[in-house]
Amino acid sequence: VLFLVHGTTHAQGFNHQWLLGSTGIDTNVTSPDARLLFDLLSADTSGENRKLAVWETQANISDANGNLLFASNGCWIMDASGDTMQNGSGLNPGLWADSYCSNTTGLPNVGGNIIIPYPGDTAKFILFHQIGNFSSSFPYMDSPEVFYTVIDMNLNGGLGGVITGQKNLIAFSDTLSWGLAACKHANGRDWWIVAIRDASNTIFKILVTQSGISSVTS
């Protein structure tokens, strides 16, 4: 039933957790939140009351023991305490995010968030995130940029925080379809982030190394 109610679900990180929420279509309806915990042999779902509302944009990551470190709905980042991460508010600048974040549903971008470990630094993570574009034709399903935000889990007593000056940085700009994907580099350390140009067969590849974003190629 959960999969029928929430048709688009993404998991990331270690010992995966999925945060489930409402569709976001009707902001006058209070929908319950839930969490799906699973390992190689089983899955377990439990209801919860959570400050972070999720629509289609959702990413979360856990530690090696399966404990949730943080999550984001495209509007802000929630730490493990369930509250706003230090410097974690105000993601995705501009009218698109402002219009959706003001009604607390989270963003509607399918696959608009993805989190990877920072190569060579076990305390840091990078959140890549997208917005939409009201200036495009309905249903506005393209994005003008890929942003990224860097989180350091050593900040705020281990709850983590967004590094000052490392929020809402532009990885690159183009007319992009919604959705980001990640693939670990063959060297076992670095990462590829993949995005697609809207209405095109052009694929953009962001190479993330120990130095940050090393290159963007198509």
Side-chain angles (χ1 to χ4, degrees), residues 62-198:
S62 304
D63 64 18
N65 295 316
N67 302 307
L68 184 70
L69 293 175
F70 62 90
S72 175
N73 62 0
C75 296
W76 58 283
I77 303 172
M78 180 187 77
D79 64 23
S81 74
D83 212 337
T84 306
M85 175 176 278
Q86 180 178 294
N87 196 26
S89 61
L91 288 181
N92 289 317
L95 179 61
W96 176 266
D98 290 347
S99 63
Y100 286 101
C101 295
S102 62
N103 63 25
T104 71
T105 62
L107 297 188
N109 306 43
V110 177
N113 276 357
I114 199 164
I115 301 165
I116 62 169
Y118 201 106
D121 191 332
T122 58
K124 292 181 181 178
F125 296 87
I126 306 177
L127 167 64
F128 287 89
H129 43 106
Q130 289 180 298
I131 56 173
N133 184 8
F134 280 129
S135 65
S136 67
S137 60
F138 185 81
Y140 320 118
M141 293 181 67
D142 64 73
S143 176
E145 293 101 6
V146 173
F147 293 98
Y148 68 100
T149 294
V150 184
I151 293 95
D152 187 344
M153 295 307 300
N154 286 327
L155 298 176
N156 196 26
L159 285 173
V162 174
I163 299 172
T164 301
Q166 297 289 297
K167 180 168 63 177
N168 295 330
L169 301 177
I170 297 176
F172 74 101
S173 301
D174 205 283
T175 303
L176 304 164
S177 295
W178 285 0
L180 301 168
C183 178
K184 200 164 192 178
H185 196 284
N187 65 19
R189 180 197 62 217
D190 301 333
W191 287 84
W192 295 101
I193 303 297
V194 179
I196 300 175
R197 178 177 285 158
D198 191 46

